[in-house]
Amino acid sequence: MFKRLIASLTLDYEFVARGRGVLTMDEMDLISRGDRMKVEKADQILPPPGVQPSQDDRIDLKECGLIVNHIDEMCEWIEQLSRTEIV
């Protein structure tokens, strides 16, 4: 049920990684915050009415949280690089 969300977050990870030196920190922060909101609300929005997430769905949702954490960490890493003018 959350596979499309995983795909969306993965695309955002790639987008931010490839956008190093092009995206501003504010733009990367917007992507990160939007992704975090998607994960926080996914279990309320994505399941069809009356369908409870399965155990596999819950695992997928945890994976989504991990992907968002990786996006946050990458944004921080890029910010640190930009401060040292390596970017």
Side-chain angles (χ1 to χ4, degrees), residues 1-55:
M1 162 178 334
F2 300 112
K3 296 292 187 196
R4 290 183 312 163
L5 181 57
I6 290 171
S8 172
L9 297 172
T10 302
L11 176 63
D12 284 352
Y13 182 91
E14 180 181 1
F15 192 84
V16 170
R18 289 180 177 226
R20 186 181 64 175
V22 176
L23 296 172
T24 66
M25 292 311 302
D26 287 339
E27 291 166 335
M28 287 189 287
D29 185 53
L30 285 172
I31 292 169
S32 177
R33 289 187 313 166
D35 286 343
R36 187 155 303 283
M37 181 274 311
K38 287 178 190 176
V39 172
E40 288 173 2
K41 301 292 183 180
D43 62 339
Q44 299 169 31
I45 295 171
L46 294 178
V51 175
Q52 294 297 318
S54 69
Q55 184 62 25

